[in-house]
Amino acid sequence: MQLTHEDKEEALKRSESVMHNKKQNELSEYYKEIAKIIKQYDEVLIFGPTDAKIELYNTIKDGLAYAKIKIGIKPADKMTENQQYAFVRTYFTTN
């Protein structure tokens, strides 16, 4: 059986869709794990250079368990570990 160009294209599209869905499911599970940790705190800062911080926030914002938690969201460039500590320290001492 000879695959046509259209058959190959269709197979590639299905494969890409499966990979995208798998990645989305893994990301959703990752956010759920972080959300469990956030429940332990009264105040949390979510920061970073990508939109992941917004995606995480959107995952938890409507949950009743998070209603009393003060959640800050700040954009931030890529930082070293020491820069992250300083960023968080500054945030919590000025807010």
Side-chain angles (χ1 to χ4, degrees):
M1 178 175 163
Q2 183 79 10
L3 290 177
T4 66
H5 177 70
E6 289 80 17
D7 292 335
K8 291 176 184 177
E9 239 179 64
E10 184 62 33
L12 182 59
K13 285 180 186 176
R14 278 194 306 263
S15 178
E16 287 174 353
S17 178
V18 167
M19 291 293 283
H20 174 76
N21 289 339
K22 182 178 178 183
K23 186 176 180 180
Q24 287 302 111
N25 287 338
E26 288 173 354
L27 194 55
S28 177
E29 289 302 313
Y30 180 64
Y31 290 154
K32 287 177 186 176
E33 289 300 314
I34 295 172
K36 288 178 190 176
I37 296 166
I38 289 173
K39 283 182 185 180
Q40 302 172 29
Y41 297 92
D42 297 324
E43 191 171 1
V44 174
L45 172 62
I46 305 171
F47 65 96
T50 68
D51 289 335
K53 61 190 165 294
I54 305 298
E55 293 171 11
L56 173 59
Y57 177 73
N58 287 338
T59 300
I60 63 175
K61 71 177 181 177
D62 295 327
L64 292 176
Y66 305 95
K68 293 184 179 181
I69 301 171
K70 182 179 176 185
I71 301 174
I73 302 171
K74 294 285 183 184
D77 292 329
K78 197 170 188 175
M79 296 183 249
T80 66
E81 192 172 327
N82 287 339
Q83 289 170 323
Q84 291 174 25
Y85 287 129
F87 185 83
V88 171
R89 192 173 23 253
T90 300
Y91 175 83
F92 283 107
T93 56
T94 60
N95 285 320

